[in-house]
Amino acid sequence: MTDRRGVVAKRAENLMPGVPYVRGWAQARRSAGALAAQLTALGLESDFPGLTADVNVSGDGLVRLGTIRPEAALMLAELIVSGLAAETAMATDALTEEPATA
């Protein structure tokens, strides 16, 4: 089973010639590192001990959160919602503060 982005494709255990696994894994590693840095800054690194980079059979990079507690998943969801709300508020403020042009 594979979703439209290929994320649900099996992980790459047996490598096929011609598939750019290293490129996908390197991208996933950079993204996992960025997420790990933010989680560490928030003091949440211990809530995501299985955070790692991976790659699927198509060579697409994957960031695996590992098995996490329900509270950690809820906390991550709340952080995403808070970030989106702050971003929306900043965009709204920027629109209302633009000087009227005549």
Side-chain angles (χ1 to χ4, degrees):
M1 176 172 81
T2 303
D3 67 339
R4 64 186 169 88
R5 291 187 179 172
V7 175
V8 187
K10 290 183 180 181
R11 64 183 299 273
E13 293 176 351
N14 299 316
L15 304 182
M16 304 282 290
V19 179
Y21 296 110
V22 174
R23 185 181 317 141
W25 180 83
Q27 181 183 18
R29 184 170 182 230
R30 286 189 300 274
S31 297
L35 179 56
Q38 294 302 312
L39 291 171
T40 299
L42 294 168
L44 301 175
E45 68 277 5
S46 63
D47 289 307
F48 297 87
L51 179 64
T52 187
D54 204 347
V55 67
N56 68 15
V57 294
S58 302
D60 300 319
L62 303 173
V63 174
R64 296 187 179 271
L65 297 179
T67 303
I68 59 174
R69 297 177 302 113
E71 297 84 5
L74 180 61
M75 190 180 330
L76 183 57
E78 289 172 349
L79 287 168
I80 292 169
V81 169
S82 296
L84 289 172
E87 189 175 286
T88 302
M90 288 185 342
T92 302
D93 289 347
L95 288 174
T96 58
E97 292 177 4
E98 286 183 6
T101 55

